[in-house]
Amino acid sequence: MHAHWIDDAAWASPWRARQVGEKVVLSLGLVLTALVLPPWPTTMLVSLVAAVVIVGFARIPARVLLLVMAAPLAFIAISAVSVVLGVGVAAADVWWRWGPFSIGPDGLARAAGLVGHSIAGTLALMVLATTTPMVDLLTWARRLHLPGPLVEIASLTYRMLWVLLATTLSIREAQVARLGDTPRGRGALRRRMQAAGNAAGSVLVRSWTRARRLEDGLAGRGYESSLTTLAPKRVASWTLRAGTAVVLALVWMISWQAR
């Protein structure tokens, strides 16, 4: 599961020792740059900067980056196909037409811009996701004096999602060990559906039980309105701040001149 890879990479990254706000500024700065400026050459520059930061400076293995980008790239490809394929009255310069469907240069140009913006924005977000665990983000949100109930809801939702994921993976491993995932012969589809139904029921029951145990544990520790945690002290990096400003300024300058 790519969620494990992102979380493991964030906890192991040497950039975890940096201040969260510095990484947020770099990541969101790249995202806004990719969205506001024209797609070419901005998206290529933003993607290159984000990849260099993740693999080079944050020391995230390139294999991990490719794995966590697999699912977003699949959604981007599906979205691009829906943009390329026109439906309705076709323009005069279309390349291919079949009934109400057509493909032309306008749709291809829009799809190319969509793909460029999407890949650049996703890589820019990965700068933050692969270097900052959710715990650090929630602690940073508390320091910004965001409403306490919102932060607590986000924290509990994050914990519940991991409970659900861990339960699902354990049930899946049990089914694989019992060869329940590879039914063959007559009635294979029915057995697959039965196995999926049994797994879904077990996931709901076990997740509910583990969630209640988590609630009992928090109550035993005196949890009432907020779960206070100690955050490590992080020293500001003026090198990172200056580098962020210089890189963003260079991307804006190059993109503006190209425009």
Side-chain angles (χ1 to χ4, degrees):
M1 299 293 291
H2 67 278
H4 276 300
W5 301 326
I6 295 177
D7 200 63
D8 293 343
W11 282 97
S13 174
W15 266 33
R16 196 202 165 209
R18 298 187 180 277
Q19 289 187 354
V20 177
E22 296 173 345
K23 293 179 286 186
V24 170
V25 170
L26 173 59
S27 179
L28 293 185
L30 291 174
V31 170
L32 293 177
T33 300
L35 292 178
V36 172
L37 295 179
W40 312 110
T42 307
T43 55
M44 292 188 297
L45 294 175
V46 171
S47 300
L48 178 61
V49 170
V52 170
V53 169
I54 294 172
V55 178
F57 294 95
R59 301 178 186 176
I60 304 298
R63 175 177 174 273
V64 175
L65 179 60
L66 293 175
L67 290 175
V68 300
M69 286 292 295
L73 288 177
F75 283 105
I76 293 172
I78 295 173
S79 302
V81 171
S82 64
V83 174
V84 171
L85 189 63
V87 180
V89 180
D93 58 345
V94 296
W95 299 330
W96 174 84
R97 180 184 304 169
W98 183 70
F101 304 104
S102 61
I103 297 178
D106 293 338
L108 185 61
R110 289 193 299 269
L114 171 67
V115 170
H117 282 301
S118 302
I119 294 178
T122 304
L123 282 172
L125 286 178
M126 287 299 172
V127 172
L128 181 64
T130 57
T131 59
T132 311
M134 181 61 68
V135 176
D136 293 346
L137 286 174
L138 294 175
T139 303
W140 180 69
R142 288 191 181 94
R143 290 184 175 179
L144 293 180
H145 302 290
L146 294 181
L150 294 180
V151 178
E152 289 303 314
I153 291 174
S155 177
L156 291 177
T157 302
Y158 173 72
R159 289 179 172 86
M160 293 300 107
L161 288 176
W162 278 105
V163 168
L164 179 62
L165 178 61
T167 304
T168 303
L169 291 179
S170 63
I171 293 176
R172 174 63 178 170
E173 292 174 357
Q175 284 189 335
V176 172
R178 295 179 175 86
L179 302 180
D181 65 323
T182 56
R184 298 178 182 276
R186 188 175 181 180
L189 179 59
R190 181 178 60 83
R191 290 195 295 272
R192 284 182 181 272
M193 296 296 293
Q194 184 179 4
N198 294 335
S202 300
V203 166
L204 292 176
V205 173
R206 294 190 181 185
S207 299
W208 180 268
T209 303
R210 295 189 62 179
R212 289 302 300 263
R213 290 178 180 177
L214 177 59
E215 182 182 4
D216 294 339
L218 291 174
R221 291 172 174 83
Y223 175 82
E224 293 182 357
S225 59
S226 63
L227 184 63
T228 304
T229 57
L230 296 177
K233 185 177 181 180
R234 295 181 171 89
V235 181
S237 175
W238 293 104
T239 302
L240 177 59
R241 297 182 180 185
T244 299
V246 171
V247 167
L248 292 178
L250 285 176
V251 172
W252 276 78
M253 184 185 306
I254 295 173
S255 300
W256 191 261
Q257 289 180 351
R259 181 183 179 182

